[in-house]
Amino acid sequence: MSQAGLEIDLKQLVLTPGEFGNREVDAIKRAIGEDFGNYRTLREAVQELEVSESLSPADKTRLGVCLVLMGRYRHAAQVLQQSDGGALAKFYLAKAAAAQEQYDVALENYKAAASAGFDKDRCTLGMVEATRGAGNATGALELLDSLSGPVEQTAEYLYQRGTTVAVLGGNPSEVVALYERAVDSEPTHPGALFGLAIENDRRGNDDEALRLYERSTAQFPTFVGAVLNLGILYEDRNQFDQARRCYQRVLDSYPDHPRARLFFKDAEASGDMYYDEDAQRKRDRLSQVLGIPVTDFELSVRSRNCLQKMGIGTLGDLTNCTEQELLSSKNFGETSLVEIKEMLASKGLQLGQFAGERQRPDWSFEADSMSADEQALLSKPIADLNLSVRARKCMIRLGIGTISELVRHTGDELLECKNFGVTSLNEVREKLTQHGLRLRGD
């Protein structure tokens, strides 16, 4: 079938009243999975359906399901609540609620969908995901154990079990084996491919992880995390055009997605960093600016005295100094900080912009004052924190291999790492807090 024919069929499938169930949903997924360009056709058809003057309850079910597939969960829930209230509507209302972290609503609607005749095993697997999302991984495992028969060999069951075991901190080899069995059962299962990609990514198997992310993102609906992680791997390979396409793909479905917007800007900026014949002259000019003494500027007496006590004599010294370090100096307050920032900005510089390149002072724990459990925790590999791909890549770049090495860093030092932003910093701090730890200076 030609691409044009496929587009016409997809549009008719969405707009034409009539039977609409799992078979039609699968046809939409398959069309977009084969050619993501057909996502635009789906979006156009949905927009046309949305502006229809009169929609029957069945039309609203069809519209609501399509909105769920597109990731427009809030609108989908509103439409499905006005639909025919059948099994399909209840099932996708549950999926929309789970995507918005409304897990109680999701569980209620999965049960209602099963009572209305939707496949009970699929509803139970949906409940597994919602229960795990609500923070009850043990309950999710109990739901999985309640299932028996052919469902235990399906890719969705194996994927849900692998993810649940991973959340419970189970044997990583078991998790990988479950994902691999899921992929063997259904080579195009996006969740199983995503999970397997993450496990390879955590182990540093970048080539295999890249291949699996690409396979996962070729499916529809696609896991947003898979698209973002793929973009990050492309960035690490300096393939910025591919990275931008990944982030743009997320933004096409979620225009306000904060991480995708931030990553897109980062990739765009990185891709524009060309080195030409003027590069050396620019570096020389920067060196001259960094060498300008702070005494050349009209600073307040308080600021001047504080900088002198800290041994800061040039603009270069300030670019190696963090905001936190300045504020920690006696008598150095917000007014002086603003004054310093304005002085640097007048020369196109920022406070602490080269702090990550300086020699870091040695800092160690007093091991004698720590319990055996605390010492064992600090010696664990950084992988035990289960950081996101972006945060983990930063750890690699900084040569951080253990939790002990991580907590020797300040937040500002981490922020100086390529592609590491406030979102990743908050994630690191949250993970450390769970273990009763914090970054240096926090």
Side-chain angles (χ1 to χ4, degrees), residues 85-98:
L88 185 71
K90 293 293 185 184
F91 182 80
Y92 279 91
L93 186 57
K95 292 182 77 67

Side-chain angles (χ1 to χ4, degrees), residues 33 41 57 77 82 97 127 130 136 166 185 193 213 294 341 345 349 379-380:
T41 304
Q82 303 172 23
M127 292 171 63
N136 184 9
S185 174
L193 290 167
Y213 281 134
V294 294
K341 286 183 175 180
L349 300 173
S379 66
K380 286 186 176 181

Side-chain angles (χ1 to χ4, degrees), residues 354-419:
F354 299 127
E357 299 178 10
R358 68 185 175 184
Q359 183 68 31
R360 187 163 46 247
D362 186 32
W363 181 79
S364 58
F365 293 99
E366 296 180 3
D368 293 340
S369 66
M370 301 174 61
S371 68
D373 289 342
E374 289 173 328
Q375 293 182 40
L377 173 62
L378 291 171
S379 66
K380 286 186 176 181
I382 202 71
D384 284 7
L385 291 179
N386 290 321
L387 297 172
S388 65
V389 173
R390 174 153 291 201
R392 185 181 62 78
K393 293 292 184 183
C394 177
M395 302 299 106
I396 293 174
R397 291 191 185 100
L398 292 173
I400 298 173
T402 66
I403 296 177
S404 173
E405 292 171 346
L406 172 60
V407 297
R408 296 172 191 269
H409 289 68
T410 67
D412 288 335
E413 288 169 348
L414 295 179
L415 287 172
E416 290 300 323
C417 185
K418 176 185 176 185
N419 296 331

Side-chain angles (χ1 to χ4, degrees), residues 62-359:
R62 190 166 66 256
L63 173 59
V65 171
C66 290
L67 288 169
V68 171
L69 295 179
M70 294 173 62
R72 296 174 58 187
Y73 302 115
R74 183 178 301 176
H75 189 197
Q78 295 172 346
V79 172
L80 288 170
Q81 286 168 354
Q82 303 172 23
S83 68
D84 58 19
L88 185 71
K90 293 293 185 184
F91 182 80
Y92 279 91
L93 186 57
K95 292 182 77 67
Q100 298 177 83
E101 299 183 359
Q102 299 170 353
Y103 299 116
D104 289 342
V105 176
L107 290 169
E108 178 184 342
N109 281 281
Y110 278 129
K111 292 176 183 177
S115 297
F118 204 88
D119 184 277
K120 286 184 170 54
D121 288 340
R122 288 186 63 184
C123 290
T124 300
L125 290 172
M127 292 171 63
V128 168
E129 191 165 45
T131 301
R132 188 178 62 244
N136 184 9
T138 301
L141 188 61
E142 291 174 354
L143 282 171
L144 286 165
D145 289 339
S146 72
L147 293 171
S148 60
V151 67
E152 293 180 279
Q153 304 305 316
T154 64
E156 181 65 17
Y157 174 91
L158 294 166
Y159 159 67
Q160 292 293 348
R161 193 169 194 93
T163 304
T164 303
V165 171
V167 171
L168 287 170
N171 188 330
S173 297
E174 180 185 357
V175 174
V176 170
L178 286 165
Y179 288 149
E180 288 178 339
R181 286 177 57 195
V183 172
D184 287 341
S185 174
E186 185 181 330
T188 59
H189 192 284
L193 290 167
F194 181 31
L196 201 53
I198 289 177
E199 293 301 321
N200 277 274
D201 208 344
R202 285 173 177 166
R203 290 162 174 76
N205 303 328
D206 286 354
D207 290 340
E208 180 65 9
L210 180 70
R211 185 181 69 84
L212 289 164
Y213 281 134
E214 288 175 335
R215 287 178 59 188
S216 178
T217 56
Q219 314 310 316
F220 182 83
T222 305
F223 281 66
V224 172
V227 184
L228 292 177
N229 288 358
L230 177 60
I232 291 170
L233 285 183
Y234 280 142
E235 282 191 68
D236 287 340
R237 294 167 179 244
N238 295 324
Q239 296 173 297
F240 299 109
D241 287 341
Q242 292 93 321
R244 285 196 295 268
R245 282 196 288 269
C246 286
Y247 305 143
Q248 185 61 58
R249 179 174 171 181
V250 175
L251 292 171
D252 285 342
S253 299
Y254 310 93
D256 297 323
H257 196 286
R259 292 176 64 199
R261 293 177 67 180
L262 178 62
F263 292 177
F264 183 89
K265 290 180 180 178
D266 288 346
E268 197 168 39
S270 298
D272 291 338
M273 291 170 57
Y274 298 106
Y275 296 96
D276 54 28
E277 58 188 5
D278 295 327
Q280 186 60 49
R281 285 196 296 271
K282 290 179 181 179
R283 286 194 292 269
D284 292 341
R285 187 162 58 250
L286 175 61
S287 296
Q288 292 174 354
V289 173
L290 293 176
I292 297 176
V294 294
T295 53
D296 285 4
F297 297 85
E298 294 184 1
L299 297 174
S300 66
V301 174
R302 173 168 293 184
S303 296
R304 191 182 302 274
N305 289 340
C306 287
L307 294 180
Q308 184 177 3
K309 290 177 181 178
M310 295 180 70
I312 295 175
T314 66
L315 297 186
D317 292 337
L318 281 170
T319 62
N320 285 320
C321 186
T322 66
E323 179 176 321
Q324 184 178 1
E325 288 170 336
L326 282 181
L327 290 174
S328 66
S329 176
K330 186 178 180 181
N331 298 325
F332 195 98
E334 292 290 341
T335 302
S336 296
L337 181 64
V338 171
E339 185 179 18
I340 295 299
K341 286 183 175 180
E342 289 177 349
M343 177 185 70
L344 288 171
S346 69
K347 295 297 183 180
L349 300 173
Q350 291 181 339
L351 187 63
Q353 71 183 83
F354 299 127
E357 299 178 10
R358 68 185 175 184
Q359 183 68 31

